[in-house]
């Protein structure tokens, strides 16, 4: 379903296709696994290959965001397609998540 790239203290997860009720639980497990690794301080979810996102996918992201806050880790999204970005804007979740244009924006942080 997705690739996980490792950089020092940064993990990048790249889900593909749809994030929906059919795979949200597995996606949330993957996010939780990465966030709970001791050597990770930043988790980036690269949504560039995500074509659609439903409420279950949003809930998986929100759950991971909440976990990241409790672990005092950074959780960021990047590469949102316009069709996915509008979902975050309509739900005002663009105010909750830190959203980067691309993963290369990490170098500025």
């Amino acid at each position: 379903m997705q690739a996980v790239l490792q950089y020092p203290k940064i993990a990048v997860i790249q889900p593909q296709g749809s994030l929906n009720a059919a795979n949200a639980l597995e996606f949330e497990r993957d996010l939780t696994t990465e966030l709970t690794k001791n050597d990770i301080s930043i988790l980036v979810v690269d949504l560039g290959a995500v074509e659609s996102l439903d409420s279950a996918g949003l809930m998986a992201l929100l759950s991971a965001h909440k976990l990241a806050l409790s672990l005092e880790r950074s959780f960021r999204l990047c590469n949102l397609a316009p069709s996915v970005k509008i979902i975050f804007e309509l739900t005002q979740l663009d105010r909750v998540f830190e959203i980067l244009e691309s993963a290369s924006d990490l170098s500025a942080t």
Side-chain angles (χ1 to χ4, degrees):
M1 180 175 137
Q2 61 228 3
V4 177
L5 306 174
Q6 296 286 340
Y7 300 98
K9 300 219 177 247
I10 301 171
V12 179
I13 292 184
Q14 298 173 305
Q16 300 175 359
S18 297
L19 291 178
N20 55 33
N23 58 22
L25 188 58
E26 177 186 355
F27 178 56
E28 185 176 342
R29 263 190 247 126
D30 293 343
L31 294 172
T32 299
T33 298
E34 289 304 310
L35 279 170
T36 55
K37 289 183 178 176
N38 287 331
D39 58 340
I40 297 300
S41 60
I42 301 171
L43 178 60
V44 179
V45 181
D46 182 340
L47 297 173
V50 171
E51 299 159 3
S52 64
L53 177 70
D54 73 2
S55 60
L58 280 176
M59 288 306 298
L61 290 169
L62 280 167
S63 178
H65 181 264
K66 183 178 176 181
L67 176 61
L69 289 175
S70 72
L71 296 172
E72 297 181 354
R73 302 203 173 154
S74 181
F75 185 82
R76 301 173 187 173
L77 307 177
C78 72
N79 289 335
L80 279 68
S83 61
V84 173
K85 189 173 186 176
I86 194 84
I87 294 168
F88 285 89
E89 291 170 351
L90 290 171
T91 58
Q92 297 186 353
L93 289 173
D94 58 332
R95 298 177 185 185
V96 173
F97 291 101
E98 184 174 351
I99 300 175
L100 308 172
E101 290 299 316
S102 70
S104 63
D105 290 344
L106 281 170
S107 61
T109 60

